[in-house]
Structures are given as C-alpha cells and as structure tokens.
Amino acid sequence: MTKSPVESVVAELEGSLLKDPDAYSYFLLVAFEASGLFRFAVLLMLWPVIRLLEMMGMGDAGLKFMIFVAVAGVRESEIRSVARAVLPKFYMDDIDMEAWKVFSFYDKRVVVTKTPRIMVERFVKYHLRADEVVGSELVVNRFGYATGFVNDDIRPLSDRVAKLFVDEPPRLGLARPGSSFLSLCKEQMQPPFMADQKYNHQVLRPLPVIFHDGRLVKRPTPSTALLILLWMPLGILLAIIRIVMGMVLPISAIPYMSRLFGSKVIVKGKPPSPASGANTGVLFVCTHRTLMDPVVLSTVLGRKIPAVTYSISRFSEILSPIPTVRLTRIREVDAEKIKRELSIGDLAVCPEGTTCREPFLLRFSGLFAELTDRIVPVAMNYRVGFFHATTARGWKGLDPIFFFMNPRPVYEVTFLNQLPAEATCSSGKSPHDVANYVQRILAATLGFECTNFTRKDKYRVLAGNDGIVSYTSFLDQIKKLVTNFKPFIH
C-alpha cells in the first residue's frame, strides 16, 4: 500500500505512544533531578491528594497541582537539562511499539501531551521524529525561574491542533477515548493498538537513547519512590561501611568481606600473571561502565593495579584504594606517563575516556596501542538496583557513594586473551586499527554495539558542553606550551 506524502497523524503521548497514561512518575523524576530529595519526598507525600482529586473528577486540578509542586522555583534551564539528559531514557522504556509502528508510518507527525511541552519536546522530536508538540507552557518569571503555573488549559488542546491543519485535517488520530482532538481526524485508533499488515514494512525505528544521566535506575512509581526513600538512610550507612572497608583492608581480603555486605563479582576468563623480570607491565584495556572498573579489576587480580583517570573528582581519588594516574588529554604528556607506569608494572586504562550506561561502546582512543604490545582486553559490566554511579551534570565526588548505596551491586569481569603480536602495532597495524579491533571483540563479548561517539558527544548531549577539564598541574601546562612551540624552535 502506498501513502500520500501529505498524510498526517496526531497521537496522544500518555496512554497511547507511552503505555502508562499517568505522568506522575515523570514529575517525580523532575523533582528529584532538578531540585533534590526534599521536593521528591514532598511530591510523594502528596500523591494521595493528587489521586483523590482525580477520583473526584478534578484531574486537571490534580495535574496543575502536581506541576506546581514539581517545578515551582526551579530554574527553567535546569528543567530543560533534565528533559534533555534524564527523561528520554524513561520515556523510551515505556514506548508502545505497536503504536509507534502506526505513528511512524505517516509523513507529518504531531504529538499531544498533557504535561508541559518543555518536558517532552526533546524526546518526541529527536527520538520519535515528531514534527510538532502540542502541550501546556510553563510560566517563567523574568529571573528564569518556573512559577509552577501553566499559561494554557491542560486538556482542551483541540484548537491548537486544528491550527496545525488549516488546509486538510489529519488522516489519523491515536488516542484514548474522550481525547478532544480525535474529532478532528478522519480516522481514529484507540489502545490497545494492533498495527495491521500495511505498517509492518515500516523500517523506521525510534532513535535509541545512548547517553542518559540522572541517579535513579528505575522510573519512580509511587511504590518504587517510597522504597527509595525508606532505603536512603540504610544505603548511606552501608556505603560508608563499604568505602571504609575498601580503604583499610588488604586488597586480597576485600572480595570475601564484600560478599558479607551484599556485593558480588562474577569473573570469567583467565587473568595473566603479574609482570616479572625484564618484561614490561601488562596494559589492561577495559570497557568503562563506572569509576569502579579499575578498583574491581584490582580486587579480582588480588593486587593494586594503577589506573589512568581523566576527570574524576579529587574526593574520588582520595577514597580510591588503588593508585591513580591523572591524565591531561595532552597526547605527548599522557604517553610519557603511561610509558613510565608500564615500565614499573601493570596498568589499567579505559580508552573510551568516559562511561556509558547503555549497551554501546564509545570510540576507543588509539593511544594505548602505540605504547605497548602486551594488551589484555577486559570486558567490564555491572548491574545496580537503585542508583547510577555516574553523572555528567552532577558532582562526580558522589559517584562512589551512590554506587555503594545500592543493596546488591553486581560486577562482571571477563578477561580475554592477550592480543597476539600480529594484532598489535608491532606487526605494522596502525593504532587506530588496533583500537577498533579491541573495541569490536569487547563489544562482541558483552553483546554491545560499537559506536563512533566520543566523550565530547556525550557531554554535549547531557551537559551542553565538551566535558573538557583544566590541566592538573603547572608542570603539565609547561610541557604543553613547549610542545606547541616545538615547530618554531630550531
């Protein structure tokens, strides 16, 4: 079947494109990520009031009340940041793929939402490829703070939809019964959606969420949010115990004690023996999931393996039970540091340069391949229940604390065989080819997908900057200055 190039669709977001018709959990996310735990707790305590208003037929009032509590007094820029970096992951997890097949079939796509447009626009336009978003507008004062009010009625949106279709009404409306804009559409579909045969050839897919931020692992439904709040005090205590234990106990004793406090490490493959004699150290090339990757590696090996770091906080360095080698992102300076460490012993490096939570590997830097042929790829992965241990927008010093606040964190460490000589630069291969090869075999081991995204791409999406940190010492800055002026010195 062919379709006219002007055919259009209007779809309701909550309850149609998204399976869950209730937007409450997304406001909890905004409250937690944009404001903090106190606002999160207040909004949770008011959940019975919001539900009571809905039961009394005052759903609009309940929604306005929910918006006010979630965003009043919050900077508009912070709400946009959460909408860009946090919410898309949770929206994507709730997509109704049958509704998406129908929605993506049409050329002009409009999404109608009962939540403020600022919360959903990034997701529906970038990931769902919608052309327009119709929703309420937050009122922002002249200082850039949200007042908590909206300047448009939340439910009667049919007039705004009609303005987008002056010449011809939309072909199809996807919405629950009673949605006001359905009367504008030539055809209607209501959930549960069952895409018929004419939509099955559609190959367009939502753009995956590769980068996302925020501390919460699960979408905070009322029961999940209550569980998180009740766990917080115990989680903080547990994190303190685990961190102190890692700092004072011998590295060989940590695996046994960790099991007593709920942590688990799964090891696959055979790790190499420590460097000895005239041999240079082994370079462990790891996938980068959290800042705990090299710590877990050292724990598994039973010896402290120094790790190269890029931009972890000083607080995390103080808490680290293993030595850290802070790189500068100045190629010559960093190469010298890595060579010096390898001449002493083994070293761990994460060539992605930053963490990625989703099943994707970022582009590997080829620097490690230039410096040694003793390369052992290590596939690292982890599972946590409540809190993510990485952040691009927040304070990185809290990363280890949030990791250890999880009830039962699980790490998987898979050692691959050391690269044969013919797969290294000693056989004439370029560092770029070696790095790509290592990325591919690690991705295959984990069942991940390789990408060409870099650290800069991640921070541009999540934080709106390049993620560049200043150089860590005056000596390193002098070395960079000398390097830049080498062409002029004869």
Side-chain angles (χ1 to χ4, degrees), residues 413-429:
V413 184
T414 304
F415 292 94
L416 278 63
N417 294 330
Q418 181 175 320
L419 292 191
E422 58 269 19
T424 66
C425 290
S426 62
S427 66
K429 292 185 179 294

Side-chain angles (χ1 to χ4, degrees), residues 9-236:
V9 62
V10 181
E12 180 185 37
L13 182 64
E14 298 84 7
S16 295
L17 289 176
L18 301 181
K19 299 173 186 175
D20 192 348
D22 188 5
Y24 176 75
S25 59
Y26 300 106
F27 286 104
L28 277 175
L29 281 167
V30 172
F32 185 88
E33 300 293 348
S35 185
L37 188 61
F38 178 76
R39 190 187 294 264
F40 177 80
V42 170
L43 185 56
L44 178 61
M45 288 188 293
L46 292 173
W47 177 74
V49 177
I50 296 168
R51 283 293 169 265
L52 180 62
L53 289 173
E54 291 181 357
M55 293 172 61
M56 295 172 60
M58 303 172 64
D60 289 354
L63 181 57
K64 290 181 178 180
F65 181 54
M66 188 161 51
I67 293 173
F68 181 84
V69 175
V71 304
V74 179
R75 279 192 177 275
E76 181 191 22
S77 59
E78 192 63 27
I79 300 172
R80 288 190 184 278
S81 177
V82 173
R84 179 182 66 242
V86 180
L87 297 183
K89 161 66 177 173
F90 296 96
Y91 284 136
M92 185 65 76
D93 288 345
D94 196 39
I95 283 290
D96 185 329
M97 290 307 298
E98 293 299 314
W100 162 254
K101 288 179 182 179
V102 179
F103 179 77
S104 62
F105 181 79
Y106 292 86
D107 294 283
K108 183 176 181 180
R109 298 181 283 270
V110 176
V111 172
V112 175
T113 176
K114 63 183 180 182
T115 57
R117 183 175 57 86
I118 190 175
M119 288 176 56
V120 305
E121 187 170 35
R122 162 76 183 189
F123 172 71
V124 298
K125 284 191 173 182
Y126 183 77
H127 295 280
L128 300 188
R129 301 180 176 95
D131 298 296
E132 298 289 343
V133 182
V134 179
S136 57
E137 301 291 336
L138 279 180
V139 176
V140 179
N141 64 25
R142 61 193 180 97
F143 301 106
Y145 290 88
T147 63
F149 301 106
V150 291
N151 62 5
D152 194 13
D153 281 340
I154 294 175
R155 194 158 74 180
L157 299 172
S158 56
D159 290 345
R160 295 179 62 187
V161 174
K163 289 179 181 179
L164 299 175
F165 298 92
V166 177
D167 298 328
E168 185 178 358
R171 165 64 64 182
L172 180 67
L174 300 175
R176 292 169 294 168
S179 297
S180 58
F181 66 86
L182 282 179
S183 60
L184 304 173
C185 305
K186 297 178 180 179
E187 301 176 14
Q188 301 178 5
M189 288 184 68
Q190 300 173 356
F193 299 103
M194 295 294 293
D196 58 34
Q197 191 64 35
K198 73 177 182 180
Y199 302 112
N200 288 340
H201 77 280
Q202 184 69 24
V203 296
L204 196 65
R205 293 291 181 267
L207 287 178
V209 177
I210 297 178
F211 303 120
H212 67 94
D213 205 30
R215 292 297 189 181
L216 298 183
V217 173
K218 298 178 180 178
R219 181 160 62 97
T221 60
S223 57
T224 302
L226 179 61
L227 187 59
I228 290 171
L229 279 180
L230 294 176
W231 173 257
M232 275 283 187
L234 183 59
I236 293 172

Side-chain angles (χ1 to χ4, degrees), residues 338-352:
I338 294 175
K339 284 181 179 178
R340 184 166 59 248
E341 291 296 327
L342 286 173
S343 67
I344 300 171
D346 298 338
L347 185 66
V349 63
C350 299
E352 291 171 277

Side-chain angles (χ1 to χ4, degrees), residues 209-454:
V209 177
I210 297 178
F211 303 120
H212 67 94
D213 205 30
R215 292 297 189 181
L216 298 183
V217 173
K218 298 178 180 178
R219 181 160 62 97
T221 60
S223 57
T224 302
L226 179 61
L227 187 59
I228 290 171
L229 279 180
L230 294 176
W231 173 257
M232 275 283 187
L234 183 59
I236 293 172
L237 177 62
L238 185 59
I240 294 172
I241 293 173
R242 286 167 168 169
I243 291 172
V244 172
M245 182 179 65
M247 295 175 66
V248 301
L249 290 179
I251 196 80
S252 58
I254 292 178
Y256 305 101
M257 295 301 296
S258 295
R259 285 195 286 268
L260 295 178
F261 291 94
S263 302
K264 182 179 180 181
V265 179
I266 302 170
V267 182
K268 301 176 183 178
K270 183 179 179 181
S273 302
S276 60
N279 292 332
T280 59
V282 169
L283 185 62
F284 293 97
V285 178
C286 308
T287 55
H288 203 7
R289 308 302 285 170
T290 76
L291 83 170
M292 294 300 298
D293 296 335
V295 177
V296 174
L297 176 67
S298 295
T299 302
V300 169
L301 294 173
R303 61 186 189 274
K304 294 185 178 182
I305 307 296
V308 297
T309 64
Y310 293 96
S311 59
I312 68 171
S313 69
R314 292 294 186 185
F315 182 64
S316 296
E317 287 185 327
I318 293 171
L319 296 180
S320 175
I322 63 172
T324 58
V325 181
R326 182 177 281 260
L327 299 187
T328 64
R329 300 190 187 275
I330 308 171
R331 195 172 186 84
E332 293 79 6
V333 176
D334 293 345
E336 180 183 328
K337 286 186 176 183
I338 294 175
K339 284 181 179 178
R340 184 166 59 248
E341 291 296 327
L342 286 173
S343 67
I344 300 171
D346 298 338
L347 185 66
V349 63
C350 299
E352 291 171 277
T354 189
T355 57
C356 183
R357 297 175 179 176
E358 295 301 294
F360 299 92
L361 294 187
L362 308 187
R363 190 175 71 195
F364 277 30
S365 167
L367 178 61
F368 73 90
E370 301 176 14
L371 306 177
T372 182
D373 295 332
R374 302 194 66 197
I375 299 171
V376 175
V378 184
M380 312 286 291
N381 203 4
Y382 80 112
R383 299 192 301 273
V384 288
F386 282 163
F387 308 107
H388 284 297
T390 60
T391 182
R393 299 165 48 255
W395 184 38
K396 293 180 182 294
L398 294 178
D399 288 356
I401 296 175
F402 273 105
F403 177 82
F404 286 116
M405 282 176 62
N406 286 288
R408 295 187 62 84
V410 178
Y411 242 97
E412 297 180 7
V413 184
T414 304
F415 292 94
L416 278 63
N417 294 330
Q418 181 175 320
L419 292 191
E422 58 269 19
T424 66
C425 290
S426 62
S427 66
K429 292 185 179 294
S430 70
H432 178 74
D433 290 338
V434 175
N436 286 347
Y437 172 70
V438 174
Q439 183 197 37
R440 287 196 302 272
I441 61 176
L442 286 172
T445 300
L446 293 169
F448 288 3
E449 183 177 335
C450 294
T451 75
N452 282 320
F453 292 117
T454 66

